[in-house]
Amino acid sequence: MAIKAKTTKAKTATKIEAESTEKIAALEKMTSISFRTRQLTKKKAEKIFSDMGISTSAALNMFLTQVVRDKGLPFTPTTRKDTMGGVKDDADTAGYVALEELWEEL
């Protein structure tokens, strides 16, 4: 009988280890996020990330990881008045070089 008990314990340990491995794999599954942003903003950000040697995906993962760690935004949101010395019209800060760029994005 003692032999059967050891075999059962070994099987149970193996089963627990397999369940733990499955749980870890489930936590590490990747998913996709899709969101809309201005084309020019995306291009400018991609250039900055490229200069830093990281991909846009890596940068966004860093942001999300920091949000989870901080349990909030990793920066203090401000209004345009706080950052630009006065409230400005969207057209003043949109970053469009030509009206055609704006229309293409709309």
Side-chain angles (χ1 to χ4, degrees), residues 7-80:
T7 305
T8 304
K9 286 181 182 177
K11 286 182 181 178
T12 303
T14 304
K15 186 177 179 181
I16 291 170
E17 185 178 315
E19 288 174 357
S20 295
T21 302
E22 288 174 15
K23 287 179 183 177
I24 291 170
L27 292 173
E28 292 178 351
K29 283 186 178 177
M30 300 300 282
T31 188
S32 295
I33 296 176
S34 178
F35 66 97
R36 299 185 61 77
T37 190
R38 291 184 169 135
Q39 186 176 20
L40 187 60
T41 301
K42 180 183 174 220
K43 286 181 181 180
K44 286 180 178 181
E46 286 174 333
K47 170 73 169 108
I48 292 166
F49 299 146
S50 176
D51 291 347
M52 295 172 67
I54 60 174
S55 66
T56 300
S57 181
L60 293 175
N61 276 305
M62 287 180 203
F63 172 76
L64 293 175
T65 300
Q66 195 67 45
V67 167
V68 171
R69 184 177 300 139
D70 293 349
K71 294 181 176 53
L73 291 174
F75 54 84
T76 304
T78 58
T79 63
R80 284 194 204 118

